[in-house]
Amino acid sequence: MPELPEVETTRRGIEPHILGHEIQGLIVRQDRLRWPVPPRLENRLRGQRILRVERRAKYLLLQTGTGTLLIHLGMSGSLRVLPPGTPPGPHDHIDLVFQHCCLRLRDPRRFGAVLWTSEAVAGHALLRHLGPEPLGQEFNGEWLYRLARRRHGPVKNFIMDGKVVVGVGNIYASESLFHAGIHPHRPCNRISLNRYHRLVEEIRRVLISAIRQGGTSLRDFQREDGRPGYFAQELQVYGRERQPCPRCGQPIRQRRIGQRSSYFCSHCQR
DNA sequence: AAATTCTCCTGAAGGC
DNA sequence: TGCCTTCAGGAGAATT
């Protein structure tokens, strides 16, 4: 499921194909995504050039001269760059058509979104209240420690909260906490500043490493050229219940924390 | 205010 | 073989 590394992998993959190119058309086969695709969106897009291909949190932002197309991959979405006219398969809901290629959104579960704003994109309702980027400067141990003072929920939920830090989803939350040696269920206000420094370091390390591997493909995710990401083979705990902990050999445990499956080693993580 | 629950959706997996 | 139930999950919205 697309988390920050998958979205960044996608951004880097599509950018060279579409940057500076003119949008010829938009084909919407299914407009019922998480929110309805805006009606008559093609009229706004046709003739516009892609001026920037950016990412904020898990949103892809395709900036044109008149506004920005926001794309979210939800949990099963992927974007591919295909030759124009390639016949669509199941769940290929939307094509952004260029002269030389077609950018195609496939999203079996339709939790993704395609939206438009003609205002400054940072002020959009979906982006306005987001926390810092995990790979940016203002995300650090002090930030986490300070926010955690007035909370008490499990640290895993804490770092998956987009107001605390963006882009850390279920897979990378479990992985980062394992590397930091912190139990996912530990109350976030019972963690020292030093351990938060370490956690920030591990979140960054895991995300950067996953980006380098092209993300994690468990089921639906594929890169813009159809290849999978290869970080799944680096996963230490996610999806590995009952298998031996890579560090101490005791069985990895699975437990639901905040409605999400969480994986951890109860010996190595405290 | 923070925490919890609900909601959208499809496909895989398990039970009988 | 086939039909049913259950589960997975991003994250905003609604509720407690």
Side-chain angles (χ1 to χ4, degrees):
Chain A
M1 4 8 269
E3 301 183 26
L4 186 145
E6 290 73 34
V7 179
E8 180 60 23
T9 294
T10 299
R11 190 198 71 74
R12 294 180 187 185
I14 67 174
E15 182 175 42
H17 294 96
I18 65 172
L19 187 63
H21 290 277
E22 183 183 320
I23 299 167
Q24 305 290 315
L26 180 79
I27 300 170
V28 180
R29 299 181 196 84
Q30 168 64 271
D31 67 357
R32 291 172 53 238
L33 302 183
R34 165 122 206 225
W35 295 283
V37 177
R40 296 175 298 282
L41 179 57
E42 182 176 30
N43 296 341
R44 298 182 181 275
L45 291 173
R46 197 188 290 115
Q48 295 297 318
R49 275 179 199 286
I50 304 290
L51 303 182
R52 308 191 108 171
V53 179
E54 300 190 311
R55 178 191 57 76
R56 171 72 174 112
K58 299 176 190 172
Y59 291 91
L60 284 165
L61 310 174
L62 309 191
Q63 188 189 320
T64 77
T66 55
T68 305
L69 193 67
L70 289 80
I71 302 175
H72 197 289
L73 299 178
M75 66 160 289
S76 62
S78 58
L79 284 172
R80 282 167 307 148
V81 175
L82 299 163
T86 305
H91 313 300
D92 285 342
H93 303 313
I94 292 176
D95 289 354
L96 192 60
V97 182
F98 297 86
Q99 193 82 51
H100 63 295
C101 75
C102 159
L103 185 67
R104 176 167 289 171
L105 174 69
R106 171 177 295 178
D107 185 7
R109 301 202 180 165
R110 291 200 260 136
F111 283 4
V114 174
L115 298 170
W116 171 262
T117 179
S118 44
E119 311 289 319
V121 70
H124 192 278
L126 291 171
L127 306 187
R128 202 179 335 172
H129 302 293
L130 290 175
E133 289 286 328
L135 303 180
Q137 291 288 326
E138 69 262 61
F139 178 61
N140 53 46
E142 281 82 9
W143 167 259
L144 283 185
Y145 183 79
R146 187 159 56 77
L147 281 186
R149 290 316 86 199
R150 48 197 166 88
R151 295 195 181 213
H152 57 270
V155 62
K156 176 160 179 278
N157 299 356
F158 181 60
I159 61 171
M160 287 177 67
D161 182 339
K163 292 192 282 299
V164 175
V165 59
V166 300
V168 181
N170 201 40
I171 295 175
Y172 299 113
S174 276
E175 292 297 304
S176 303
L177 288 165
F178 171 76
H179 287 287
I182 300 172
H183 196 291
H185 201 258
R186 171 169 285 273
C188 63
N189 59 354
R190 295 280 185 273
I191 294 173
S192 69
L193 176 59
N194 272 343
R195 297 188 86 198
Y196 272 128
H197 281 305
R198 174 78 191 283
L199 180 56
V200 165
E201 198 177 298
E202 296 300 338
I203 288 173
R204 289 212 177 100
R205 220 173 48 76
V206 166
L207 294 178
I208 288 168
S209 171
I211 292 169
R212 195 176 297 127
Q213 298 287 321
T216 302
S217 294
L218 291 180
R219 186 170 302 162
D220 299 295
F221 179 70
Q222 48 182 328
R223 303 223 234 162
E224 87 291 344
D225 56 5
R227 282 183 302 154
Y230 298 107
F231 193 72
Q233 59 201 40
E234 315 280 329
L235 296 177
Q236 305 291 294
V237 291
Y238 184 85
R240 303 179 68 90
E241 71 272 23
R242 295 187 299 278
Q243 296 180 41
C245 166
R247 195 164 159 269
C248 76
Q250 292 200 18
I252 301 295
R253 298 196 183 181
Q254 177 184 17
R255 177 170 166 186
R256 288 185 81 76
I257 300 176
Q259 316 297 94
R260 292 287 180 269
S261 278
S262 307
Y263 302 86
F264 58 93
C265 171
S266 56
H267 178 252
C268 296
Q269 295 173 254
R270 296 290 172 162

